Amino acid sequence: MIISSPQSMQKKALKWLKAGKSVGFVPTMGALHEGHLSLVRASKRDNDITVVSIFVNPAQFGPTEDYGSYPRSLKMDLSALKLFSVDAVFIPDVSDIYPEDFQTTVNVGKLSQPMCGKSRPVFFGGVARVVLKLFNLVMPTRAYFGLKDYQQFLIIKQLIKDLNLPVIIVPRAIIREKDGLALSSRNAYLSKEERKIAPRVYAALELGKEAAKSGKNPKQVQRIIEDHLKKNFVIDYVTVADPLTLASLKTFRGKALLAVAVWLGKTRLIDNLLVNQDTH
Ligand code: PAF
């Protein structure tokens, strides 16, 4: 079932709520790949009802970013979702989500500042705003987010906690191509040549992980990753951070997040790896 109006979506959600059904929600911007489908699979497994939203959210793109060219493949997305028999696909119009007099902003403070927040200053505000609105329309029991967007996951988790939203957030592992490239809708931008180079992002993270395990400190690990990346990419950031606060680490203790964003031509790639310094 395709639902396009926010009012109809909320009406359906209230009906499911009244009937005591659990609702799993997978928010997406479409151009679905196996990463998204793994979230749908998890939702189908955990809930009575599964809702997928497809909405390319203009509020999370800066004025010079790729809102206009963001991959859109609605027909293919709907065929993929048909195979999963999801209960509803919510595909609202921009004007229904953001009517002319829309004026509310939602910002999650500190977590939005480092990493992607530095080079994409409007991104997380736009994400938090639309996700909160979608939660109010779909009223999910559980919402599924991929860990490739690790910072986004933490921000939504904080939003849920701060505002006491009655939603359980379910993180799911990054899905990778055989050569290690993390799946992303933006991989569609890569030329054939760039596609061959792109897996070196993950290779750099793996090198960083090895270095951490062999006793190097966070600064040294960061440098090793940077040295590897700068041969092929323009680096936006490389961080070795606390996986709960995203603050840069000075020493390793327990879990650490290795995260990077790089440019390969006109494509921005992000990826991350969690390392556990207690278990090596
Ligand atoms: O991760 C995404 O695809 C988007 O940021 C989301 C969560 C659907 C909000 O637009």
Side-chain angles (χ1 to χ4, degrees):
M1 175 201 338
I2 294 178
I3 300 178
S4 51
S5 101
Q7 291 74 14
S8 314
M9 184 65 251
Q10 204 172 44
K11 216 163 139 194
K12 258 278 172 248
L14 281 168
K15 211 173 113 196
W16 289 323
L17 192 70
K18 259 192 170 165
K21 306 262 189 215
S22 60
V23 176
F25 179 40
V26 181
T28 82
M29 299 208 297
L32 302 183
H33 51 65
E34 190 46 40
H36 297 111
L37 299 180
S38 74
L39 306 180
V40 174
R41 220 170 272 123
S43 172
K44 290 284 295 182
R45 189 196 55 212
D46 301 344
N47 301 282
D48 301 322
I49 299 284
T50 289
V51 179
V52 177
S53 65
I54 298 179
F55 179 65
V56 185
N57 173 33
Q60 69 189 71
F61 292 81
T64 59
E65 292 181 351
D66 56 342
Y67 175 66
S69 56
Y70 192 83
R72 288 161 171 88
S73 55
L74 190 55
K75 235 175 151 186
M76 266 156 48
D77 293 349
L78 291 175
S79 321
L81 293 174
K82 210 165 187 184
L83 296 176
F84 286 86
S85 319
V86 300
D87 299 273
V89 187
F90 180 42
I91 316 176
D93 274 349
V94 172
S95 58
D96 286 326
I97 293 295
Y98 302 118
E100 250 174 53
D101 63 342
F102 191 99
Q103 39 193 299
T104 301
T105 56
V106 183
N107 274 301
V108 177
K110 268 198 288 198
L111 285 172
S112 299
Q113 286 162 11
M115 298 167 55
C116 292
K118 270 198 184 140
S119 51
R120 305 191 67 196
V122 302
F123 177 53
F124 290 120
V127 169
R129 189 192 327 177
V130 83
V131 168
L132 179 56
K133 180 145 180 162
L134 291 169
F135 281 177
N136 283 331
L137 296 175
V138 177
M139 301 182 189
T141 317
R142 296 182 187 81
Y144 295 78
F145 288 85
L147 286 175
K148 186 175 81 67
D149 297 293
Y150 185 90
Q151 189 174 12
Q152 169 174 276
F153 159 70
L154 277 194
I155 285 168
I156 303 300
K157 198 168 130 203
Q158 190 71 35
L159 177 80
I160 289 172
K161 179 170 172 259
D162 288 349
L163 301 183
N164 297 92
L165 304 178
V167 183
I168 299 164
I169 186 163
V170 185
R172 299 289 302 173
I174 298 175
I175 306 291
R176 299 181 181 282
E177 301 278 8
K178 279 202 182 79
D179 58 14
L181 177 64
L183 295 196
S184 163
S185 305
R186 288 191 169 97
N187 291 350
Y189 296 153
L190 297 171
S191 70
K192 244 183 168 172
E193 270 319 295
E194 289 170 339
R195 174 62 190 83
K196 284 186 203 151
I197 295 167
R200 295 179 200 169
V201 174
Y202 181 59
L205 286 169
E206 283 284 7
L207 273 181
K209 182 175 171 178
E210 283 315 304
K213 295 205 161 190
S214 72
K216 298 273 192 287
N217 68 37
K219 199 86 226 140
Q220 291 167 323
V221 169
Q222 183 184 340
R223 219 163 283 139
I224 287 166
I225 298 173
E226 281 168 357
D227 285 345
H228 194 72
L229 287 174
K230 70 185 179 204
K231 295 177 199 152
N232 296 287
F233 306 96
V234 176
I235 297 174
D236 178 352
Y237 66 79
V238 173
T239 187
V240 179
D242 180 306
L244 297 178
T245 64
L246 302 181
S248 296
L249 288 179
K250 291 202 167 56
T251 54
F252 281 118
R253 203 174 314 127
K255 287 202 172 105
L257 174 76
L258 314 185
V260 305
V262 297
W263 285 95
L264 180 54
K266 64 176 173 56
T267 309
R268 188 170 180 277
L269 301 169
I270 60 170
D271 201 351
N272 68 79
L273 209 56
L274 278 170
V275 295
N276 191 343
Q277 289 300 84
D278 289 336
T279 56
H280 68 274

